């Protein structure tokens, strides 16, 4: 599944802080942030997690996260 989210992650520094945590949270997946986009997009390709888990993960680290459809 490919999930697309609008986030409040604004900087590469924040992405670097999240990178190891995301890799541990969803180890067999692909993910990336598009900080150039006005919605600061997070794309996740994974069969291991669902939308709610990803939103809760980012919320845990004080980032807003909403699924885009």
């Amino acid at each position: 599944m490919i999930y697309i989210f609008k986030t409040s992650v604004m900087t590469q520094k924040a992405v670097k802080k999240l990178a190891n945590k995301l890799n541990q949270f969803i180890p067999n997946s692909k993910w990336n942030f598009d900080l150039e986009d006005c919605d600061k997009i997070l794309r996740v390709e994974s069969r291991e997690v669902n939308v709610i888990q990803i939103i809760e993960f980012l919320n845990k680290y004080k980032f807003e996260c909403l699924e885009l459809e």
Side-chain angles (χ1 to χ4, degrees), residues 1-65:
M1 295 288 300
I2 297 175
Y3 305 104
I4 301 174
F5 302 91
K6 174 181 179 177
T7 75
S8 65
V9 176
M10 302 297 267
T11 65
Q12 273 304 126
K13 185 176 178 179
V15 172
K16 286 180 183 179
K17 284 184 178 182
L18 286 171
N20 285 337
K21 294 171 176 73
L22 269 169
N23 288 334
Q24 290 174 5
F25 179 62
I26 43 178
N28 299 316
S29 66
K30 296 179 185 177
W31 59 267
N32 67 4
F33 282 93
D34 182 355
L35 301 181
E36 301 284 320
D37 189 280
C38 65
D39 289 330
K40 309 305 181 201
I41 297 295
L42 167 62
R43 290 181 189 87
V44 176
E45 184 177 342
S46 178
R47 293 186 174 155
E48 298 176 14
V49 294
N50 62 41
V51 168
I52 293 170
Q53 290 172 308
I54 295 168
I55 291 171
E56 288 176 349
F57 174 86
L58 260 68
N59 290 169
K60 176 180 170 181
Y61 294 101
K62 309 295 186 221
F63 293 103
E64 294 175 19
C65 182

